[in-house]
Amino acid sequence: MYTSNVYTVMIASPGDVKDERYLARDVIMEWNSNHSESRKIVLLPLMWEFDTYPEMGDRPQALINKQMVERADVVIAVFGARLGSNTGVAPSGTVEEINLQFTKQRPVMLYFSNGSIDRDKFDAQQFAALQKYKSELRSASLYTEFDSSQDFRTKLSNHLAKLLNDKTSFKDFDNGGARASDNAQLGEDLILSPAMQVVLNLANNSTNKRIEQGSPGNTPEMIKEWESAIDTLVKHGLLKKEDNSESVVLTPLGIKIALGNTVKVTSPRASKLLFKTIKSREGRMQLLDRSNGLFMMVDNEHLIEDRNVKTLAEYVAALNELTEFGLLEKRGVGSYYVTSEAFRYVKEFEPLLRNVYDKSILN
């Protein structure tokens, strides 16, 4: 008999890498068999298939976060050819789990498959979303690619051993293996102004989680409001100024606050659709699927400026964004109406958003 510290290792992934999920569990258990007695460490794998239970009261991903991610000391995230389904907070459940783990400043091990793809199960939209997410990570993380299941097993086994030899990865744990109590941070109690909410939202949705300090506003009042927002967020630990740079970057606390931010519209095209619809005669936008293509119209005005596939996809995504957040409501076939929440939202955020987002798109 021996006493050990127990660390939980969550295995996160979309649904197309089932084999790799079970291989990851095997690697964890193999490490325990070979090292736990000598190292006085036991790794406890967490998988939603075995470690969640039925519960009500919140969206499914939030319940998974509470039951698993908040317990996780390490997250192993594996991707095949899919990113996963949007949760309303992140592009997929796996991405939301990675983001939450990052806000806790705990290790995330990222793996992407380069293996062959089953043509019968291939989803071009999912694959494109995955590649976009992967490209966003290149300059802000160190991830590993694998060519086969065996390649994944070998690499994960080596990496897990190295991680457990890196004492700095577990610096937040005391000698008993329990989490040290989190220090209260001033930023948790900060009441965000509309300007601060827009700054956080833009930074959180940008590559590398950073934005330029310079105001996008064109009036002295707007410039002052922008600069004051950044200064306040820096003071409260949500943003950090970079040395020898005009940029500010989100801190882990800033990302945590940004995930619960009330700013809803995050894309220029969604802003355009919302502004055009809310100022129309009927408060209605029509989505028309005709033989010569897809059209979005408000008061007989065509909103899609060109007919290329990328632009059409961006507008469809923008429309989905607005309906998901309750700013437009679908009634009947192809008709979308603004909601009372949309009027409140635009009244509060329109001045800032019109300066932040691309005016050539909004006009």
Side-chain angles (χ1 to χ4, degrees), residues 284-302:
R284 180 182 68 159
M285 187 202 70
Q286 290 181 288
L287 178 65
L288 306 174
D289 190 359
R290 295 174 174 169
S291 58
N292 57 337
L294 198 66
F295 296 86
M296 291 183 179
M297 299 186 66
V298 171
D299 291 342
N300 296 320
E301 176 188 355
H302 292 278

Side-chain angles (χ1 to χ4, degrees), residues 86 190 228 251 290 322:
N86 193 294
L190 177 64
S228 175
T251 64
R290 295 174 174 169
L322 293 171

Side-chain angles (χ1 to χ4, degrees), residues 26-311:
D26 289 347
V27 168
I28 293 168
M29 300 311 293
E30 185 178 81
W31 189 95
N32 285 334
S33 178
N34 293 332
H35 303 290
S36 63
E37 184 172 1
S38 61
R39 294 288 303 276
K40 302 297 186 288
I41 290 174
V42 172
L43 302 179
L44 179 65
L46 295 178
M47 300 173 68
W48 69 264
E49 299 97 317
F50 309 112
D51 298 292
T52 58
Y53 53 86
E55 186 177 4
M56 295 181 65
D58 209 337
R59 57 192 180 88
Q61 185 58 52
L63 296 174
I64 292 174
N65 293 344
K66 183 185 74 170
Q67 293 182 23
M68 291 182 59
V69 187
E70 291 180 6
R71 296 169 53 199
D73 300 317
V74 180
V75 167
I76 298 171
V78 191
F79 292 95
R82 298 175 56 84
L83 184 64
S85 301
N86 193 294
T87 67
V89 172
S92 77
T94 306
V95 173
E96 186 172 337
E97 289 158 3
I98 291 169
N99 290 343
L100 182 56
Q101 182 74 353
F102 180 74
T103 67
K104 293 157 53 184
Q105 295 183 290
R106 299 195 184 279
V108 179
M109 305 172 73
L110 288 166
Y111 295 87
F112 292 89
S113 173
N114 280 336
S116 59
I117 300 172
D118 187 340
R119 291 179 178 271
D120 294 333
K121 298 180 180 179
F122 179 70
D123 185 320
Q125 188 174 9
Q126 277 286 316
F127 187 72
L130 176 62
Q131 296 306 305
K132 180 177 182 292
Y133 176 64
K134 185 177 177 182
S135 67
E136 291 172 352
L137 290 174
R138 284 197 178 98
S139 58
S141 67
L142 183 63
Y143 58 76
T144 292
E145 297 173 333
F146 61 93
D147 298 323
S148 65
S149 294
Q150 183 56 48
D151 186 35
F152 169 70
R153 180 181 184 127
T154 300
K155 288 178 175 176
L156 177 59
S157 181
N158 291 336
H159 296 160
L160 192 61
K162 291 177 181 177
L163 177 69
L164 289 161
N165 286 332
D166 180 8
K167 297 184 185 300
T168 62
S169 297
F170 301 97
K171 62 185 177 181
D172 294 331
F173 292 83
D174 60 26
N175 293 329
R179 287 182 180 82
S181 60
D182 295 329
N183 294 323
Q185 300 200 49
L186 184 60
E188 295 277 8
D189 301 319
L190 177 64
I191 298 175
L192 300 176
S193 69
M196 286 187 279
Q197 293 187 48
V198 171
V199 170
L200 283 179
N201 200 59
L202 288 173
N204 192 47
N205 286 282
S206 69
T207 304
N208 300 335
K209 306 294 182 186
R210 55 172 48 81
I211 57 171
E212 297 297 317
Q213 293 185 54
S215 169
N218 55 7
T219 67
E221 294 79 9
M222 202 66 70
I223 293 171
K224 182 179 179 180
E225 189 173 9
W226 181 267
E227 292 176 346
S228 175
I230 288 181
D231 288 343
T232 302
L233 292 170
V234 170
K235 177 181 177 182
H236 288 263
L238 279 68
L239 290 177
K240 180 181 179 182
K241 291 186 177 181
E242 296 190 306
D243 295 334
N244 303 317
S245 173
E246 294 299 318
S247 298
V248 286
V249 62
L250 275 177
T251 64
L253 177 62
I255 294 175
K256 179 180 178 181
I257 301 298
L259 290 175
N261 195 356
T262 59
V263 176
K264 296 179 178 181
V265 175
T266 61
S267 71
R269 299 200 190 283
S271 294
K272 175 182 176 178
L273 293 182
L274 180 60
F275 290 147
K276 291 287 187 179
T277 305
I278 209 168
K279 295 179 183 299
S280 67
R281 292 190 299 271
E282 299 179 330
R284 180 182 68 159
M285 187 202 70
Q286 290 181 288
L287 178 65
L288 306 174
D289 190 359
R290 295 174 174 169
S291 58
N292 57 337
L294 198 66
F295 296 86
M296 291 183 179
M297 299 186 66
V298 171
D299 291 342
N300 296 320
E301 176 188 355
H302 292 278
L303 300 183
I304 303 176
E305 61 269 15
D306 61 60
R307 310 304 304 165
N308 71 65
V309 175
K310 181 176 182 294
T311 302

